[in-house]
Amino acid sequence: MIYNNAMLIRRDLLARMCKLMFEGELKEKINRLPLEMVPRHSKNTRCCVHKERAVLKYSAMGILGFNVKDEEDEFMPLSEYVQMAEDRTEFTDVMLTVVDVACSSCVKINYVVTNLCRTCVGHPCTFACKKNAISIHGKAEINHDTCVNCGMCLDACPFNAIIYQPVPCEESCPVNAISKNENGIEYIDETKCIYCGRCLESCPFGAIIEKTYLVQITNALKSGKRVKAMFAPALLGQFQDDPEKIIAAIKQIGFDEVIEVAKGANETTRNETLEFEERMEQGQPFMTTSCCHSYTRLVEKNLPDLKPFVSDTKTPAYYTAEMIKKEDPDCVVVFIVPCVSKRHESYYNPNIDYAMSFEELGAMLVAKQIEISKCEDATCDTTIHASGRGFCYSGGVADSVKQFAKHPEKIKEILIDGIDKSTLRMLRQLPQNHGDANFVEVMMCKGGCVNGCDTLVNSKIALRQVKKVVK
Amino acid sequence: MSRITVEICVGTACYVMGAAELLSLQDAFPSIEEEILSFKGTNCLDSCTNPTCGKAPFVRVNGNILHAVTVESLKKTLHHELERLK
Ligand code: FES
């Protein structure tokens, strides 16, 4: 997560919406919410209260589970979307939506002449530009219609007066899946998106929002059905409290049972270790992990050459959900996730009914005024091997496999800790260039799931906290 | 000889709303000021359940409870308090 004002506003909105949901007043009161959050004379970070309110309205539409771009009638109040969410039975695999009123503030052309321009006589910038896009009017000026974003002028200026101004979401996307449409609004290309959530975190306007199942989940909690929560291992790093208390707090929200995905992680380790040993016997050069859904999407969409080396073992969430549904086929399973990618994975898993993020869990706790430290200790599943809880940080999966392996000394691991240009290159070259390594652990977020886009606290704090329950 | 006590509420509501980041603020002050400033986490101050108290996260500086505290606003408050001591 990235700590900034956009994130604080989103959390406030989530908590207020959760409160209304629990109190059964969402439909009745949601239309007023933007007004309540931004009263007439409030100080704004955007141009005026009306814009701020509009952004909140469309953010709420996203949170209710709808794509902002699907809006047909601008006059339709949020309360109607609440009704639609309540009646809804079909969902899609589109997880993110762009709040267009919040977007469009970023540059189309990334090169900007700053006031450091000395209006020099030589003006090498105009000589460097192949498109004749720069003219001198006192200061150098870039014509946005003819500029092609090549950056030659930046290299040519001896005063460093021309800068590159990035578009945060585009810059952060490792697979170039987000770009502007004809109106200058960012558009996510679903055929390329790998659900890493970078754009969501990086947009300082809060223009990208995650669609949620909060309406469906709170309704299930009220319905009298058995609702079971399974949470990703990274959750134990999100609060300062012990696992017993965190589990108790989730139960207090209304979940009938709370299961650690660390249990399924043990199953993943068991299978992955066997698979690894088998593959090595067959003479394969190396194997990569498969627990990060965003990574397996990356391989699927961008690195097909790597596919034969990716482990076929299922993810911890897969085994956990399978266990829960085997025991209780009629219950509703909610997966509490640290990132968008796990939400996407959940959509394709028939044993998982809904996913909700750590942030949404936080919002529910706030809405229900649950103080974790005051909860009566619940019992933890003592059959869980602690290394399963370590799946959420870089090195944790490799560690776990080593602990389960017959010959740990034969495992020579490389850790791909977070995806960026250089690790992407490394991955691409792995089949040719893996040195003597035979086990490649891949996590798309730097530091692992403790740094997922939907986490509540910064990854350093979370890591320190999680390590307490692994060691 | 610490003269400004900064108690950051780390109860659930405040923690979710960004209190964890406030705790890391103590590293932002030079050691001389560190002697004057004492940071600590505190349990729920019970302000979160009272709508008239404002928004979480809450921080108590020398006994006064501040609301909707961000890293930015807390830095300002503390610099102001330090100035007053000079
Ligand atoms: S959690 Fe901070 S006042 Fe209650």
Short mmCIF file of all heavy atoms in Angstrom, two decimals, chain A residues 255-313:
data_model
loop_
_atom_site.label_atom_id
_atom_site.label_comp_id
_atom_site.label_asym_id
_atom_site.label_seq_id
_atom_site.Cartn_x
_atom_site.Cartn_y
_atom_site.Cartn_z
N PHE A 255 -18.55 -13.70 10.85
CA PHE A 255 -18.17 -14.92 10.14
C PHE A 255 -18.25 -16.12 11.10
O PHE A 255 -17.86 -16.02 12.26
CB PHE A 255 -16.75 -14.79 9.57
CG PHE A 255 -16.67 -13.79 8.44
CD1 PHE A 255 -16.31 -12.48 8.69
CD2 PHE A 255 -17.00 -14.17 7.14
CE1 PHE A 255 -16.26 -11.54 7.65
CE2 PHE A 255 -16.95 -13.24 6.10
CZ PHE A 255 -16.58 -11.93 6.36
N ASP A 256 -18.77 -17.22 10.58
CA ASP A 256 -18.99 -18.37 11.44
C ASP A 256 -17.70 -19.11 11.75
O ASP A 256 -17.55 -19.71 12.80
CB ASP A 256 -19.97 -19.34 10.79
CG ASP A 256 -21.34 -18.71 10.68
OD1 ASP A 256 -22.04 -18.70 11.69
OD2 ASP A 256 -21.67 -18.18 9.60
N GLU A 257 -16.80 -19.07 10.79
CA GLU A 257 -15.55 -19.75 11.03
C GLU A 257 -14.46 -18.97 10.31
O GLU A 257 -14.72 -18.34 9.28
CB GLU A 257 -15.62 -21.18 10.48
CG GLU A 257 -14.84 -22.19 11.29
CD GLU A 257 -14.94 -23.58 10.68
OE1 GLU A 257 -16.07 -24.11 10.58
OE2 GLU A 257 -13.89 -24.11 10.29
N VAL A 258 -13.25 -19.01 10.85
CA VAL A 258 -12.16 -18.28 10.23
C VAL A 258 -10.99 -19.25 10.05
O VAL A 258 -10.53 -19.86 11.01
CB VAL A 258 -11.73 -17.08 11.10
CG1 VAL A 258 -10.59 -16.32 10.45
CG2 VAL A 258 -12.91 -16.14 11.34
N ILE A 259 -10.56 -19.41 8.83
CA ILE A 259 -9.53 -20.41 8.53
C ILE A 259 -8.31 -19.73 7.93
O ILE A 259 -8.42 -18.85 7.08
CB ILE A 259 -10.09 -21.46 7.53
CG1 ILE A 259 -11.30 -22.15 8.12
CG2 ILE A 259 -9.04 -22.50 7.17
CD1 ILE A 259 -12.61 -21.78 7.49
N GLU A 260 -7.15 -20.14 8.39
CA GLU A 260 -5.92 -19.58 7.84
C GLU A 260 -5.57 -20.26 6.52
O GLU A 260 -5.53 -21.49 6.45
CB GLU A 260 -4.74 -19.80 8.80
CG GLU A 260 -4.79 -18.95 10.03
CD GLU A 260 -3.52 -19.10 10.87
OE1 GLU A 260 -2.41 -18.94 10.33
OE2 GLU A 260 -3.65 -19.39 12.07
N VAL A 261 -5.28 -19.47 5.51
CA VAL A 261 -4.84 -20.04 4.23
C VAL A 261 -3.46 -20.67 4.38
O VAL A 261 -3.03 -21.47 3.56
CB VAL A 261 -4.90 -18.97 3.13
CG1 VAL A 261 -4.27 -19.44 1.84
CG2 VAL A 261 -6.36 -18.58 2.86
N ALA A 262 -2.79 -20.35 5.48
CA ALA A 262 -1.50 -20.98 5.77
C ALA A 262 -1.65 -22.51 5.78
O ALA A 262 -0.71 -23.24 5.46
CB ALA A 262 -0.96 -20.49 7.10
N LYS A 263 -2.84 -22.97 6.12
CA LYS A 263 -3.09 -24.41 6.13
C LYS A 263 -2.98 -24.97 4.70
O LYS A 263 -2.32 -25.98 4.47
CB LYS A 263 -4.48 -24.68 6.70
CG LYS A 263 -4.71 -26.11 7.09
CD LYS A 263 -6.08 -26.26 7.76
CE LYS A 263 -6.42 -27.71 8.02
NZ LYS A 263 -5.72 -28.26 9.20
N GLY A 264 -3.62 -24.28 3.77
CA GLY A 264 -3.51 -24.69 2.37
C GLY A 264 -2.09 -24.52 1.87
O GLY A 264 -1.63 -25.25 0.98
N ALA A 265 -1.38 -23.53 2.44
CA ALA A 265 0.01 -23.30 2.03
C ALA A 265 0.85 -24.53 2.35
O ALA A 265 1.75 -24.91 1.60
CB ALA A 265 0.57 -22.07 2.72
N ASN A 266 0.55 -25.18 3.48
CA ASN A 266 1.27 -26.41 3.82
C ASN A 266 1.06 -27.47 2.74
O ASN A 266 2.00 -28.18 2.35
CB ASN A 266 0.77 -26.98 5.16
CG ASN A 266 1.18 -26.13 6.36
OD1 ASN A 266 0.62 -26.25 7.44
ND2 ASN A 266 2.17 -25.26 6.18
N GLU A 267 -0.17 -27.52 2.25
CA GLU A 267 -0.49 -28.48 1.18
C GLU A 267 0.27 -28.12 -0.09
O GLU A 267 0.81 -29.00 -0.79
CB GLU A 267 -2.00 -28.46 0.95
CG GLU A 267 -2.58 -29.63 0.19
CD GLU A 267 -2.28 -30.98 0.84
OE1 GLU A 267 -2.18 -31.04 2.08
OE2 GLU A 267 -2.11 -31.95 0.08
N THR A 268 0.31 -26.83 -0.39
CA THR A 268 1.07 -26.38 -1.56
C THR A 268 2.52 -26.81 -1.42
O THR A 268 3.12 -27.35 -2.35
CB THR A 268 0.99 -24.84 -1.70
OG1 THR A 268 -0.38 -24.48 -1.92
CG2 THR A 268 1.82 -24.34 -2.86
N THR A 269 3.10 -26.57 -0.25
CA THR A 269 4.50 -26.92 -0.04
C THR A 269 4.71 -28.43 -0.25
O THR A 269 5.64 -28.85 -0.94
CB THR A 269 4.96 -26.56 1.38
OG1 THR A 269 4.69 -25.19 1.60
CG2 THR A 269 6.44 -26.80 1.56
N ARG A 270 3.84 -29.21 0.37
CA ARG A 270 3.95 -30.67 0.26
C ARG A 270 3.98 -31.09 -1.21
O ARG A 270 4.88 -31.79 -1.66
CB ARG A 270 2.75 -31.30 0.96
CG ARG A 270 3.10 -32.47 1.84
CD ARG A 270 1.92 -32.84 2.74
NE ARG A 270 1.93 -32.09 3.99
CZ ARG A 270 0.88 -31.48 4.52
NH1 ARG A 270 -0.30 -31.51 3.91
NH2 ARG A 270 1.00 -30.83 5.66
N ASN A 271 3.00 -30.60 -1.98
CA ASN A 271 2.91 -31.00 -3.38
C ASN A 271 4.04 -30.41 -4.22
O ASN A 271 4.58 -31.06 -5.10
CB ASN A 271 1.57 -30.55 -3.97
CG ASN A 271 0.43 -31.32 -3.35
OD1 ASN A 271 0.60 -32.46 -2.93
ND2 ASN A 271 -0.73 -30.70 -3.28
N GLU A 272 4.38 -29.17 -3.91
CA GLU A 272 5.41 -28.52 -4.69
C GLU A 272 6.77 -29.19 -4.47
O GLU A 272 7.57 -29.32 -5.39
CB GLU A 272 5.47 -27.04 -4.33
CG GLU A 272 6.19 -26.20 -5.36
CD GLU A 272 5.69 -24.77 -5.39
OE1 GLU A 272 6.18 -23.94 -4.62
OE2 GLU A 272 4.78 -24.49 -6.18
N THR A 273 7.02 -29.61 -3.25
CA THR A 273 8.28 -30.27 -2.94
C THR A 273 8.37 -31.59 -3.73
O THR A 273 9.40 -31.87 -4.37
CB THR A 273 8.38 -30.57 -1.43
OG1 THR A 273 8.08 -29.37 -0.72
CG2 THR A 273 9.76 -31.03 -1.05
N LEU A 274 7.29 -32.35 -3.72
CA LEU A 274 7.28 -33.61 -4.48
C LEU A 274 7.46 -33.34 -5.97
O LEU A 274 8.25 -34.00 -6.64
CB LEU A 274 5.95 -34.36 -4.26
CG LEU A 274 5.72 -34.94 -2.87
CD1 LEU A 274 4.34 -35.57 -2.78
CD2 LEU A 274 6.81 -35.96 -2.53
N GLU A 275 6.73 -32.35 -6.44
CA GLU A 275 6.82 -32.03 -7.86
C GLU A 275 8.24 -31.61 -8.23
O GLU A 275 8.77 -32.03 -9.27
CB GLU A 275 5.84 -30.90 -8.20
CG GLU A 275 5.75 -30.64 -9.70
CD GLU A 275 4.91 -29.42 -10.07
OE1 GLU A 275 4.28 -28.82 -9.17
OE2 GLU A 275 4.89 -29.09 -11.26
N PHE A 276 8.84 -30.83 -7.37
CA PHE A 276 10.21 -30.37 -7.62
C PHE A 276 11.16 -31.56 -7.72
O PHE A 276 11.95 -31.69 -8.66
CB PHE A 276 10.65 -29.42 -6.50
CG PHE A 276 12.09 -29.03 -6.56
CD1 PHE A 276 12.54 -28.13 -7.51
CD2 PHE A 276 13.02 -29.57 -5.67
CE1 PHE A 276 13.87 -27.76 -7.58
CE2 PHE A 276 14.36 -29.21 -5.72
CZ PHE A 276 14.78 -28.30 -6.68
N GLU A 277 11.04 -32.47 -6.74
CA GLU A 277 11.96 -33.62 -6.74
C GLU A 277 11.76 -34.48 -7.99
O GLU A 277 12.73 -34.93 -8.60
CB GLU A 277 11.74 -34.44 -5.45
CG GLU A 277 12.33 -33.72 -4.25
CD GLU A 277 11.84 -34.22 -2.88
OE1 GLU A 277 10.89 -35.04 -2.83
OE2 GLU A 277 12.41 -33.77 -1.88
N GLU A 278 10.50 -34.63 -8.38
CA GLU A 278 10.20 -35.39 -9.59
C GLU A 278 10.82 -34.75 -10.83
O GLU A 278 11.47 -35.40 -11.63
CB GLU A 278 8.69 -35.40 -9.77
CG GLU A 278 8.07 -36.76 -10.00
CD GLU A 278 6.57 -36.67 -9.81
OE1 GLU A 278 5.93 -36.04 -10.67
OE2 GLU A 278 6.06 -37.17 -8.78
N ARG A 279 10.59 -33.44 -10.93
CA ARG A 279 11.10 -32.73 -12.10
C ARG A 279 12.63 -32.80 -12.18
O ARG A 279 13.20 -32.92 -13.26
CB ARG A 279 10.67 -31.26 -12.06
CG ARG A 279 9.23 -31.04 -12.50
CD ARG A 279 8.90 -29.56 -12.41
NE ARG A 279 7.52 -29.28 -12.76
CZ ARG A 279 7.16 -28.49 -13.78
NH1 ARG A 279 8.07 -27.90 -14.52
NH2 ARG A 279 5.89 -28.26 -14.04
N MET A 280 13.28 -32.71 -11.03
CA MET A 280 14.74 -32.77 -11.02
C MET A 280 15.22 -34.16 -11.46
O MET A 280 16.17 -34.29 -12.22
CB MET A 280 15.30 -32.44 -9.64
CG MET A 280 15.13 -30.99 -9.23
SD MET A 280 15.79 -29.79 -10.41
CE MET A 280 14.31 -28.98 -11.01
N GLU A 281 14.48 -35.17 -10.99
CA GLU A 281 14.84 -36.53 -11.41
C GLU A 281 14.72 -36.71 -12.90
O GLU A 281 15.51 -37.40 -13.54
CB GLU A 281 13.93 -37.55 -10.70
CG GLU A 281 14.57 -38.16 -9.47
CD GLU A 281 13.53 -38.85 -8.59
OE1 GLU A 281 12.65 -39.54 -9.15
OE2 GLU A 281 13.61 -38.67 -7.35
N GLN A 282 13.69 -36.05 -13.45
CA GLN A 282 13.51 -36.13 -14.91
C GLN A 282 14.52 -35.29 -15.67
O GLN A 282 14.50 -35.24 -16.89
CB GLN A 282 12.10 -35.66 -15.29
CG GLN A 282 11.01 -36.61 -14.86
CD GLN A 282 9.64 -35.92 -14.89
OE1 GLN A 282 9.52 -34.76 -15.28
NE2 GLN A 282 8.62 -36.65 -14.47
N GLY A 283 15.37 -34.60 -14.94
CA GLY A 283 16.42 -33.84 -15.60
C GLY A 283 16.04 -32.43 -16.02
O GLY A 283 16.73 -31.81 -16.82
N GLN A 284 14.91 -31.92 -15.49
CA GLN A 284 14.58 -30.54 -15.83
C GLN A 284 15.56 -29.59 -15.15
O GLN A 284 16.02 -29.85 -14.04
CB GLN A 284 13.16 -30.23 -15.38
CG GLN A 284 12.13 -30.86 -16.29
CD GLN A 284 10.81 -30.10 -16.26
OE1 GLN A 284 10.74 -28.97 -15.81
NE2 GLN A 284 9.78 -30.75 -16.77
N PRO A 285 15.86 -28.48 -15.80
CA PRO A 285 16.88 -27.58 -15.25
C PRO A 285 16.43 -26.82 -14.00
O PRO A 285 17.20 -26.61 -13.09
CB PRO A 285 17.17 -26.61 -16.40
CG PRO A 285 15.95 -26.66 -17.26
CD PRO A 285 15.39 -28.04 -17.14
N PHE A 286 15.18 -26.37 -13.99
CA PHE A 286 14.70 -25.62 -12.84
C PHE A 286 13.18 -25.59 -12.83
O PHE A 286 12.53 -25.94 -13.82
CB PHE A 286 15.24 -24.18 -12.85
CG PHE A 286 14.68 -23.33 -13.95
CD1 PHE A 286 13.57 -22.53 -13.74
CD2 PHE A 286 15.27 -23.33 -15.22
CE1 PHE A 286 13.04 -21.75 -14.77
CE2 PHE A 286 14.74 -22.55 -16.25
CZ PHE A 286 13.63 -21.77 -16.03
N MET A 287 12.63 -25.18 -11.69
CA MET A 287 11.18 -25.03 -11.58
C MET A 287 10.89 -23.71 -10.88
O MET A 287 11.64 -23.29 -10.00
CB MET A 287 10.61 -26.18 -10.75
CG MET A 287 9.10 -26.16 -10.60
SD MET A 287 8.52 -27.51 -9.54
CE MET A 287 8.45 -26.67 -7.96
N THR A 288 9.83 -23.05 -11.31
CA THR A 288 9.44 -21.83 -10.59
C THR A 288 8.17 -22.10 -9.78
O THR A 288 7.41 -23.01 -10.10
CB THR A 288 9.14 -20.62 -11.52
OG1 THR A 288 7.78 -20.67 -11.96
CG2 THR A 288 10.08 -20.59 -12.71
N THR A 289 7.96 -21.29 -8.75
CA THR A 289 6.76 -21.44 -7.93
C THR A 289 5.53 -20.99 -8.73
O THR A 289 5.66 -20.42 -9.82
CB THR A 289 6.86 -20.56 -6.67
OG1 THR A 289 7.12 -19.21 -7.09
CG2 THR A 289 7.95 -21.02 -5.75
N SER A 290 4.36 -21.23 -8.19
CA SER A 290 3.13 -20.85 -8.90
C SER A 290 2.09 -20.23 -7.97
O SER A 290 0.94 -20.08 -8.33
CB SER A 290 2.52 -22.08 -9.56
OG SER A 290 2.20 -23.05 -8.57
N CYS A 291 2.51 -19.88 -6.74
CA CYS A 291 1.50 -19.41 -5.78
C CYS A 291 1.03 -18.00 -6.05
O CYS A 291 -0.07 -17.63 -5.68
CB CYS A 291 2.03 -19.53 -4.35
SG CYS A 291 3.68 -18.89 -4.16
N CYS A 292 1.86 -17.18 -6.73
CA CYS A 292 1.45 -15.81 -7.02
C CYS A 292 0.64 -15.81 -8.31
O CYS A 292 1.16 -16.09 -9.38
CB CYS A 292 2.66 -14.89 -7.13
SG CYS A 292 2.24 -13.22 -7.64
N HIS A 293 -0.62 -15.47 -8.21
CA HIS A 293 -1.52 -15.53 -9.36
C HIS A 293 -1.13 -14.52 -10.43
O HIS A 293 -1.24 -14.77 -11.62
CB HIS A 293 -2.95 -15.27 -8.89
CG HIS A 293 -3.97 -15.28 -9.98
ND1 HIS A 293 -4.37 -16.44 -10.61
CD2 HIS A 293 -4.67 -14.27 -10.58
CE1 HIS A 293 -5.28 -16.14 -11.54
NE2 HIS A 293 -5.47 -14.84 -11.54
N SER A 294 -0.64 -13.39 -9.97
CA SER A 294 -0.23 -12.37 -10.93
C SER A 294 0.96 -12.87 -11.76
O SER A 294 1.06 -12.61 -12.95
CB SER A 294 0.15 -11.11 -10.16
OG SER A 294 0.32 -10.03 -11.01
N TYR A 295 1.83 -13.60 -11.11
CA TYR A 295 2.98 -14.17 -11.83
C TYR A 295 2.52 -15.19 -12.88
O TYR A 295 2.95 -15.16 -14.02
CB TYR A 295 3.97 -14.81 -10.85
CG TYR A 295 4.97 -15.73 -11.52
CD1 TYR A 295 5.84 -15.24 -12.49
CD2 TYR A 295 5.04 -17.08 -11.19
CE1 TYR A 295 6.74 -16.08 -13.13
CE2 TYR A 295 5.93 -17.92 -11.82
CZ TYR A 295 6.77 -17.43 -12.79
OH TYR A 295 7.65 -18.25 -13.43
N THR A 296 1.61 -16.08 -12.50
CA THR A 296 1.17 -17.07 -13.48
C THR A 296 0.42 -16.40 -14.64
O THR A 296 0.49 -16.86 -15.77
CB THR A 296 0.33 -18.20 -12.85
OG1 THR A 296 -0.73 -17.63 -12.08
CG2 THR A 296 1.18 -19.07 -11.93
N ARG A 297 -0.27 -15.28 -14.36
CA ARG A 297 -0.91 -14.51 -15.46
C ARG A 297 0.17 -13.91 -16.35
O ARG A 297 0.04 -13.85 -17.56
CB ARG A 297 -1.78 -13.37 -14.93
CG ARG A 297 -3.07 -13.71 -14.19
CD ARG A 297 -3.92 -14.73 -14.86
NE ARG A 297 -3.47 -16.04 -14.42
CZ ARG A 297 -3.71 -17.18 -15.03
NH1 ARG A 297 -4.37 -17.20 -16.16
NH2 ARG A 297 -3.27 -18.33 -14.56
N LEU A 298 1.25 -13.44 -15.72
CA LEU A 298 2.35 -12.85 -16.48
C LEU A 298 2.94 -13.87 -17.45
O LEU A 298 3.19 -13.59 -18.63
CB LEU A 298 3.44 -12.34 -15.52
CG LEU A 298 4.72 -11.80 -16.17
CD1 LEU A 298 4.46 -10.41 -16.76
CD2 LEU A 298 5.87 -11.72 -15.16
N VAL A 299 3.13 -15.08 -16.94
CA VAL A 299 3.69 -16.14 -17.78
C VAL A 299 2.72 -16.43 -18.93
O VAL A 299 3.10 -16.48 -20.10
CB VAL A 299 3.96 -17.41 -16.96
CG1 VAL A 299 4.32 -18.58 -17.86
CG2 VAL A 299 5.06 -17.16 -15.95
N GLU A 300 1.46 -16.57 -18.56
CA GLU A 300 0.41 -16.87 -19.54
C GLU A 300 0.39 -15.84 -20.67
O GLU A 300 0.34 -16.17 -21.84
CB GLU A 300 -0.92 -16.85 -18.79
CG GLU A 300 -2.06 -17.57 -19.45
CD GLU A 300 -1.88 -19.08 -19.38
OE1 GLU A 300 -1.52 -19.63 -18.31
OE2 GLU A 300 -2.10 -19.68 -20.44
N LYS A 301 0.44 -14.55 -20.27
CA LYS A 301 0.24 -13.49 -21.26
C LYS A 301 1.53 -12.97 -21.89
O LYS A 301 1.50 -12.41 -22.97
CB LYS A 301 -0.53 -12.33 -20.63
CG LYS A 301 -1.97 -12.71 -20.27
CD LYS A 301 -2.75 -11.55 -19.70
CE LYS A 301 -4.19 -11.97 -19.41
NZ LYS A 301 -5.01 -10.90 -18.84
N ASN A 302 2.64 -13.08 -21.17
CA ASN A 302 3.85 -12.42 -21.66
C ASN A 302 5.09 -13.30 -21.79
O ASN A 302 6.00 -12.96 -22.53
CB ASN A 302 4.22 -11.26 -20.75
CG ASN A 302 3.24 -10.13 -20.84
OD1 ASN A 302 3.37 -9.28 -21.70
ND2 ASN A 302 2.25 -10.15 -19.98
N LEU A 303 5.16 -14.38 -21.04
CA LEU A 303 6.39 -15.17 -21.05
C LEU A 303 6.10 -16.64 -21.35
O LEU A 303 6.38 -17.51 -20.54
CB LEU A 303 7.09 -15.05 -19.68
CG LEU A 303 7.42 -13.67 -19.13
CD1 LEU A 303 7.86 -13.75 -17.68
CD2 LEU A 303 8.51 -13.00 -19.96
N PRO A 304 5.53 -16.93 -22.51
CA PRO A 304 5.13 -18.32 -22.79
C PRO A 304 6.30 -19.32 -22.71
O PRO A 304 6.07 -20.48 -22.37
CB PRO A 304 4.56 -18.24 -24.21
CG PRO A 304 5.04 -16.94 -24.77
CD PRO A 304 5.25 -16.02 -23.62
N ASP A 305 7.51 -18.84 -22.97
CA ASP A 305 8.65 -19.77 -22.93
C ASP A 305 8.92 -20.32 -21.54
O ASP A 305 9.59 -21.33 -21.36
CB ASP A 305 9.94 -19.05 -23.39
CG ASP A 305 9.88 -18.72 -24.87
OD1 ASP A 305 8.95 -19.25 -25.54
OD2 ASP A 305 10.73 -17.94 -25.33
N LEU A 306 8.38 -19.60 -20.55
CA LEU A 306 8.65 -20.00 -19.17
C LEU A 306 7.64 -21.04 -18.68
O LEU A 306 7.86 -21.73 -17.68
CB LEU A 306 8.57 -18.74 -18.29
CG LEU A 306 9.46 -18.67 -17.05
CD1 LEU A 306 10.90 -18.96 -17.39
CD2 LEU A 306 9.34 -17.29 -16.41
N LYS A 307 6.57 -21.17 -19.42
CA LYS A 307 5.45 -21.98 -18.97
C LYS A 307 5.81 -23.42 -18.56
O LYS A 307 5.37 -23.91 -17.52
CB LYS A 307 4.34 -21.99 -20.02
CG LYS A 307 3.00 -22.22 -19.37
CD LYS A 307 1.86 -21.99 -20.29
CE LYS A 307 0.60 -22.48 -19.59
NZ LYS A 307 -0.51 -22.64 -20.50
N PRO A 308 6.64 -24.11 -19.36
CA PRO A 308 6.95 -25.49 -18.98
C PRO A 308 7.67 -25.60 -17.64
O PRO A 308 7.72 -26.69 -17.06
CB PRO A 308 7.88 -25.97 -20.11
CG PRO A 308 7.85 -24.94 -21.17
CD PRO A 308 7.25 -23.70 -20.62
N PHE A 309 8.21 -24.49 -17.16
CA PHE A 309 9.00 -24.56 -15.92
C PHE A 309 8.20 -24.17 -14.68
O PHE A 309 8.70 -24.25 -13.57
CB PHE A 309 10.23 -23.65 -16.04
CG PHE A 309 11.08 -23.99 -17.23
CD1 PHE A 309 11.05 -23.22 -18.39
CD2 PHE A 309 11.91 -25.10 -17.20
CE1 PHE A 309 11.81 -23.53 -19.49
CE2 PHE A 309 12.69 -25.43 -18.30
CZ PHE A 309 12.63 -24.65 -19.45
N VAL A 310 6.97 -23.69 -14.91
CA VAL A 310 6.14 -23.26 -13.77
C VAL A 310 5.50 -24.48 -13.12
O VAL A 310 4.94 -25.33 -13.80
CB VAL A 310 5.04 -22.27 -14.22
CG1 VAL A 310 4.18 -21.84 -13.04
CG2 VAL A 310 5.66 -21.05 -14.89
N SER A 311 5.60 -24.53 -11.82
CA SER A 311 5.03 -25.65 -11.07
C SER A 311 3.52 -25.79 -11.34
O SER A 311 2.81 -24.80 -11.47
CB SER A 311 5.27 -25.40 -9.58
OG SER A 311 4.31 -26.06 -8.82
N ASP A 312 3.05 -27.02 -11.42
CA ASP A 312 1.62 -27.27 -11.63
C ASP A 312 0.85 -27.33 -10.32
O ASP A 312 -0.37 -27.53 -10.31
CB ASP A 312 1.40 -28.59 -12.38
CG ASP A 312 1.97 -28.52 -13.79
OD1 ASP A 312 1.76 -27.47 -14.43
OD2 ASP A 312 2.61 -29.49 -14.23
N THR A 313 1.57 -27.22 -9.24
CA THR A 313 0.92 -27.27 -7.92
C THR A 313 -0.03 -26.09 -7.78
O THR A 313 0.22 -25.01 -8.29
CB THR A 313 2.02 -27.21 -6.83
OG1 THR A 313 2.83 -28.37 -6.97
CG2 THR A 313 1.41 -27.19 -5.45
#
